[in-house]
Amino acid sequence: MTVHRLLPQREQVEQIRPAPDAVSPANAGSGPRAPEPSSEPDIPFAATWISPEARRAARRVLASGWVTTGPETELFEDEFAAHLGARHAVAVSSCTAALELALRALRLPVGAPVLVPAVTFCGAVQAVLHARLRPVLVDVDPRTGQVNAATVARAARVCGCPRAMMVLHYAGAPAPVAELAEAARLPLTHIVEDAAHALGTSVDDQPVGSLSRAACFSFYATKNLPIGEGGMVTTDDSEFARWIRRARLHGMSADAWRRNTTGGNWRYSVEEAGLKANMTDVQAAVGRAQLRHLDDWQIRRHALAAQYDAALASLAGIEPLDVPASGRHARHLYVVRVEEEYGTGRDELIDRLAEHGIGTSVHFEPLHHMPYFRDTAITPPGGLPGADALFPRLLSLPLYPHLTDSEVDRVCTELARLGDRHGTARAARSAVPADALPALAPGHPLPAGLRTLVIGAGEAGQALARDLARTPQFGLAPVGFLDDDPVKLRAAVIGGLPVLGELDDSREAVLTHRAEAVVVAIPGLGSERFRQVAGAAEASGASVRYLPSFIAALRRDVVGSDMRALDVPALIGRAEMHIVSPEVRATIAGKRVLVTGAGGSIGSELCHQVRAFGPSRLFLLDHDESNLHRLQLELYGDALRNDDIVISDIRDRPRIDQVFRELRPDVVFHAAAHKHLPLLERHPCEGVKSNVRGTDNLVRAAIAAGTSRFVLISTDKAADPVSVLGATKRLAELIVRDGQQDSPPGTVFSAVRFGNVLGSRGSLLSVVAQQLGEGAQVTVTHPDATRFFMTVEEAVGLVLEAARMARGGEVFVLDMSVPVRIVDLVRKFARSVHVPDIDIRFTGLRPGEKLNETLFAEQEGHTSTAHPRILAATSAARPEGPAALSQALPALYAAAERNDTPEVRHVLADLLPGFPAAAQEHAHTGMTHPYPDDF
């Protein structure tokens, strides 16, 4: 690693003089100060902190007289293995030595090909060469800096049959080890993980260190567990561990220190070649002491990374790397891409930051750029375009536990300032060049619907693509196929559309070709394979269509006829919008995420999409245990597999406090609520208990637990509410806004308002479909009633984007254009399912219903956001000032607990002008076939 000094031209470098038992992070760097007027101290790229306990441990070992490998090393091995849940750990002199020893222990023939990432530290490929093996370079995804299944498969084909693979968890981000092994057609016994950055990383719920045959860690001075030098190999294979333990000391059959203990024997033998690569007791003693601080240091690293994420989210051209797999990020490095839209090149930016006292680094120069490795490694034909595209943009920012919040703010401020002259508005954030998109035939119009990948280029896929292309009102514009059939891959173009890769390329294809939707058109595709493809696509920001009518059509070999059910634009009077972006991953990946109301329609869809972005844990909270069990089966294929199910009622404050204390979620999506509008008119006390007090309980618990992001799911009925549903949800919005003021810096509370969601449980269309199926009259409240409608994909996308964009206190609303008459939507839906003539009975508006909904209250304005179709409500003043709500809530809660309906409505009316204090008369005729709001 090369650390960029702050000003190389400075004549003198200040010497660091640490205190006897500590190193101050402010003076821990190695560079000179910038000649700026500011008196602020330099911010080094990296700083090593050796704890007082570690210094005392080193002095103790030095005083013992035994300083090479000995009892301290054995204790360090045991404690390190226990920390990771591995059966064995073998301490060595460096991570490079660990990699070489692990490769040697595989007993591969001389010259056997080993797959190695093209972007990694040079020592990793040196380890392959020293083990007398042949490195095969694997290209990387420029969005993640890591290899993916497609590039691994391509490199594997080049060398014929790789015998092993080195998987790097780059910067500490989890790599999909099993997926990559499958792409290389290698068993996990022949995977060696380069975990130099990955102490603290997990893939899904499994810590790196117990995933494959061997994981190799580094204790270099700037790593997550800094010692100065040293490394460790972890494995669950006892014989593998014994071999490395012998080989690290010349292949000797007995450790030197044991031969010098009482009763020891001087005899030993050497049966195989070995290295001189043992760890000393001094290093081990330091490591043991530092290990006690690791968990706290990791918490701090995550907090700093979150601070970077939040500060850089609105800065055009500075893009954090995506995370390629679900799990926990170790946050060893904070790596960004400096895109063209930033306006300043990477190298110039490094110099400018150095002039202002900020150190940076670059990880790493691609191996094929170095003459020695060009001659000794195998490079796939066509080169390594991903690595070549990524390297000129790579930049690592300062990230270490003793970096202060103000120093991160200063780094981000300088980045923003240096980019100001080029504009910081983040509009179209995709860095994909236009020539990377599939070419259209001359005169062919640009796609009008969502850019859609069709999975499967067989007859079903081709028929689907034809129907979508011929019928733009479906709202899906096909851009290409993915298929595993070698014949179709060689054909390159089928039915006028390009074949963009294999099924394992779904994530890369979504990003490269800016796909917004993915439709699977392979009859009989196994459920596990479907989940893999769908998960990869969703993790890239695309929506995957779960369409029972489409699946049924495939089984009948008829594709186009049932696709009319997808005519979303015709139903809602506007084009469906793709909202969720790949940048959402930074908000979710590696975080502990809690979803309340997880078993509901929106909650469960939210869980599906959140899971695809790689949270370290996903907690499912609901009071309905059956729905939770069903959801876990959907997510994982089995249930009761972990402790992530939480049965709890949000109205139970002690229980909610306990849940937050124990789970300590980083991100909370609050979807739990009573939301059946007519029933809440009859039972307003229950609405208050769940929607108001339940939200209050969650907000208080989130603040106490240090939750960093909290998103409330609200409703458009909260704008100038006249229903109990709208009133209780408006109070929930205000509670969330108050929570923002009461929370510590860095905590973000926000809300989103939904329109009516098409297809959710109990919503309008599901009731209409049931009525049509029964041959009954279709009930509509009023011929002129209008509503704003959203698809489930739009609704969940709004929630995820709100979590990404929120800075605190906002109420986000999707710009849904003009409202739709309910009766028109019902008639169009009936025609789409081949019922052209329907009998509609108008029942009259029900208590609490408006003839026309609005998105914003009369006293609210709205502003644009970083997303062109998402707005934020403004000037939503609290009733009678900030104290009014907190003073009135106890009386409201007390009335609800007494089930005093008149008093509840009276307090609501006092708090929310325009809300009727007296209940409207209930019209029983309107309840024959009621449909709730059910957002």
Side-chain angles (χ1 to χ4, degrees):
M1 177 188 72
T2 300
V3 177
H4 291 272
R5 292 183 178 276
L6 302 179
L7 262 188
Q9 64 267 38
R10 174 82 176 241
E11 292 183 0
Q12 294 182 345
V13 178
E14 295 183 9
Q15 298 299 312
I16 301 170
R17 297 179 180 177
D21 282 340
V23 177
S24 168
N27 65 3
S30 57
R33 297 179 183 274
E36 288 288 309
S38 172
S39 60
E40 293 180 296
D42 292 341
I43 302 174
F45 167 70
T48 302
W49 192 78
I50 303 298
S51 65
E53 301 97 318
R55 293 171 182 274
R56 289 193 292 270
R59 287 198 293 268
R60 172 175 50 78
V61 172
L62 290 171
S64 74
W66 187 269
V67 296
T68 186
T69 302
E72 287 286 337
T73 304
E74 285 195 348
L75 289 170
F76 185 32
E77 290 173 335
D78 292 343
E79 291 168 9
F80 191 83
H83 186 86
L84 294 181
R87 291 183 61 190
H88 305 283
V90 184
V92 293
S93 58
S94 69
C95 186
T96 304
L99 291 168
E100 180 178 346
L101 287 166
L103 290 168
R104 286 175 179 255
L106 294 179
R107 312 295 184 91
L108 303 176
V110 173
V114 176
L115 303 180
V116 182
V119 177
T120 188
F121 183 53
C122 61
V125 72
Q126 291 281 18
V128 178
L129 294 168
H130 292 168
R132 299 196 297 171
L133 304 171
R134 185 76 185 274
V136 181
L137 302 186
V138 184
D139 203 7
V140 300
D141 182 339
R143 290 170 176 80
T144 66
Q146 297 202 30
V147 305
N148 59 33
T151 60
V152 166
R154 185 163 66 245
R157 288 194 293 268
V158 167
C159 65
C161 181
R163 301 299 297 274
M165 177 167 60
M166 188 181 294
V167 173
L168 169 66
H169 299 278
Y170 179 59
V177 178
E179 179 184 335
L180 299 177
E182 183 180 354
R185 292 180 166 81
L186 287 169
L188 288 173
T189 55
H190 284 64
I191 304 298
V192 174
E193 293 170 79
D194 182 349
H197 299 174
L199 182 53
T201 299
S202 66
V203 179
D204 292 325
D205 292 329
Q206 195 168 356
V208 168
S210 59
L211 295 167
S212 61
R213 187 66 168 276
C216 302
F217 296 88
S218 172
F219 306 131
Y220 185 70
T222 58
K223 293 297 191 292
N224 292 36
L225 187 70
I227 293 176
E229 281 292 357
M232 191 79 77
V233 183
T234 60
T235 180
D236 288 341
D237 186 323
S238 300
E239 179 52 39
F240 194 87
R242 279 194 293 271
W243 191 94
I244 294 176
R245 196 165 274 116
R246 290 194 302 269
R248 70 178 173 181
L249 193 63
H250 305 297
M252 296 166 62
S253 61
D255 284 336
W257 82 274
R258 291 190 179 279
R259 290 185 282 113
N260 287 274
T261 58
T262 303
N265 194 305
W266 58 268
R267 296 182 184 277
Y268 64 88
S269 65
V270 176
E271 298 173 4
E272 292 188 77
L275 307 177
K276 181 64 169 72
N278 58 301
M279 178 180 283
T280 70
D281 260 20
V282 176
Q283 293 171 306
V286 173
R288 291 181 63 205
Q290 297 284 81
L291 189 61
R292 298 167 194 160
H293 295 275
L294 180 60
D295 288 342
D296 289 338
W297 290 343
Q298 288 303 106
I299 290 171
R300 179 59 180 161
R301 283 180 178 274
H302 277 272
L304 292 168
Q307 188 178 346
Y308 271 127
D309 288 343
L312 299 179
S314 60
L315 180 57
I318 300 295
E319 302 283 352
L321 293 186
D322 293 346
V323 180
S326 61
R328 187 167 182 82
H329 198 306
R331 297 299 183 186
H332 167 57
L333 299 171
Y334 193 89
V335 184
V336 298
R337 302 191 312 270
V338 183
E339 304 286 9
E340 287 185 8
E341 62 181 315
Y342 182 69
T344 300
R346 189 270 311 273
D347 292 351
E348 180 185 352
L349 178 59
I350 289 172
D351 290 341
R352 298 288 79 78
L353 289 172
E355 290 172 1
H356 293 275
I358 298 171
T360 56
S361 189
V362 175
H363 297 81
F364 299 97
E365 183 160 352
L367 298 172
H368 66 294
H369 289 192
M370 304 178 196
Y372 177 61
F373 300 129
R374 280 201 298 268
D375 296 336
T376 53
I378 299 172
T379 300
L384 299 160
D388 290 335
L390 174 64
F391 172 63
R393 298 181 282 163
L394 274 181
L395 181 64
S396 296
L397 302 177
L399 181 68
Y400 40 90
H402 292 77
L403 191 68
T404 65
D405 291 353
S406 61
E407 287 173 328
V408 172
D409 287 342
R410 183 175 146 205
V411 172
C412 296
T413 298
E414 286 300 328
L415 286 170
R417 189 184 64 79
L418 292 170
D420 272 348
R421 63 185 183 276
H422 307 286
T424 57
R426 188 183 299 271
R429 295 187 49 168
S430 173
V432 180
D435 58 8
L437 302 176
L440 295 172
H444 194 294
L446 290 173
L450 301 182
R451 297 178 60 85
T452 302
L453 275 178
V454 179
I455 305 295
E459 292 183 7
Q462 293 177 48
L464 171 63
R466 283 195 303 271
D467 281 353
L468 293 179
R470 292 169 181 168
T471 318
Q473 62 263 34
F474 290 163
L476 302 175
V479 297
F481 297 105
L482 296 182
D483 202 294
D484 286 338
D485 185 347
V487 175
K488 294 182 176 64
L489 289 167
R490 285 195 295 272
V493 176
I494 294 178
L497 287 174
V499 182
L500 302 173
E502 301 175 348
L503 267 63
D504 285 337
D505 300 331
S506 58
R507 182 175 186 278
E508 185 177 42
V510 165
L511 293 170
T512 302
H513 301 284
R514 296 188 295 173
E516 299 165 297
V518 171
V519 179
V520 179
I522 303 178
L525 185 67
S527 59
E528 181 59 32
R529 186 68 169 139
F530 178 83
R531 279 196 293 270
Q532 291 174 356
V533 175
E538 288 175 335
S540 306
S543 62
V544 178
R545 300 297 182 163
Y546 301 92
L547 303 172
S549 60
F550 174 56
I551 300 301
L554 287 178
R555 290 172 179 162
R556 296 197 308 272
D557 294 325
V558 179
V559 177
S561 62
D562 281 3
M563 290 302 289
R564 277 193 285 270
L566 294 178
D567 195 353
V568 172
L571 290 176
I572 64 178
R574 60 176 172 82
E576 185 181 7
M577 285 174 276
H578 178 75
I579 300 175
V580 66
S581 63
E583 288 77 16
V584 167
R585 172 178 289 275
T587 306
I588 302 297
K591 305 293 196 308
R592 300 165 68 85
V593 179
L594 172 70
V595 179
T596 74
S601 303
I602 294 300
S604 58
E605 178 65 20
L606 190 56
C607 290
H608 278 284
Q609 296 201 28
V610 165
R611 178 173 178 258
F613 285 104
S616 64
R617 297 286 295 274
L618 173 57
F619 301 110
L620 319 175
L621 187 148
D622 206 306
H623 65 91
D624 186 329
E625 72 277 13
S626 299
N627 271 341
L628 287 179
H629 186 264
R630 170 194 54 77
L631 176 59
Q632 199 171 45
L633 282 171
E634 289 177 5
L635 290 173
Y636 304 108
D638 57 8
L640 305 179
R641 64 194 301 270
N642 53 35
D643 295 327
D644 291 351
I645 276 185
V646 182
I647 300 175
S648 177
D649 191 326
I650 61 172
R651 308 197 295 190
D652 184 346
R653 182 170 177 179
R655 170 62 172 152
I656 290 299
D657 289 344
Q658 177 195 30
V659 167
F660 274 71
R661 279 196 308 270
E662 293 178 355
L663 303 186
R664 306 197 73 80
D666 302 307
V667 182
V668 173
F669 295 106
H670 174 28
H674 281 324
K675 40 193 179 281
H676 193 299
L677 188 150
L679 287 179
L680 288 187
E681 290 302 303
R682 290 172 172 261
H683 304 284
C685 299
E686 298 306 305
V688 168
K689 293 172 188 176
S690 288
N691 298 355
V692 185
R693 190 162 199 171
T695 301
D696 198 1
N697 291 340
L698 290 165
V699 167
R700 290 170 182 268
I703 293 172
T707 295
S708 58
R709 289 186 181 267
F710 185 107
V711 181
L712 163 73
I713 294 175
S714 186
T715 171
D716 53 6
K717 292 162 182 61
D720 291 331
V722 296
S723 64
V724 172
L725 170 62
T728 55
K729 277 299 186 177
R730 178 57 186 149
L731 291 182
E733 289 180 358
L734 294 175
I735 287 170
V736 167
R737 181 162 295 178
D738 279 353
Q740 181 64 51
Q741 290 202 344
D742 296 340
S743 62
T747 305
V748 175
F749 284 82
S750 61
V752 296
R753 286 180 188 164
F754 280 6
N756 292 50
V757 178
L758 292 174
S760 63
R761 185 182 63 198
S763 63
L764 168 65
L765 290 188
S766 65
V767 173
V768 171
Q770 179 183 350
Q771 291 172 333
L772 291 174
E774 295 171 351
Q777 284 184 314
V778 174
T779 54
V780 175
T781 57
H782 191 284
D784 296 323
T786 64
R787 296 290 182 266
F788 291 98
F789 289 96
M790 313 171 70
T791 66
V792 171
E793 288 79 12
E794 288 176 325
V796 173
L798 175 58
V799 176
L800 295 174
E801 283 298 311
R804 177 180 73 86
M805 296 189 303
R807 295 295 174 267
E810 303 96 335
V811 176
F812 293 101
V813 180
L814 181 66
D815 180 4
M816 291 176 282
S817 187
V818 296
V820 178
R821 281 207 319 165
I822 294 175
V823 68
D824 293 340
L825 183 142
V826 168
R827 285 178 173 143
K828 289 174 183 177
F829 176 74
R831 287 195 296 270
S832 75
V833 293
H834 316 299
V835 184
D837 298 316
I838 58 173
D839 183 11
I840 296 179
R841 177 165 61 90
F842 295 104
T843 61
L845 290 174
R846 297 169 295 184
E849 283 192 317
K850 297 178 182 177
L851 184 63
N852 307 114
E853 296 288 358
T854 59
L855 297 177
F856 302 98
E858 186 176 348
Q859 301 301 317
E860 285 180 333
H862 60 268
T863 60
S864 59
T865 68
H867 193 289
R869 298 305 299 271
I870 296 178
L871 305 172
T874 59
S875 302
R878 298 182 192 82
E880 301 177 12
L885 184 64
S886 60
Q887 292 172 356
L889 285 180
L892 180 64
Y893 296 159
E897 288 299 322
R898 296 194 307 269
N899 297 307
D900 186 345
T901 294
E903 180 62 16
V904 162
R905 295 192 68 97
H906 177 74
V907 177
L908 290 176
D910 285 346
L911 281 169
L912 300 167
F915 178 81
Q920 301 177 46
E921 184 178 348
H922 294 282
H924 295 283
T925 57
M927 300 295 289
T928 306
H929 283 290
Y931 57 87
D933 178 76
D934 197 22
F935 52 85

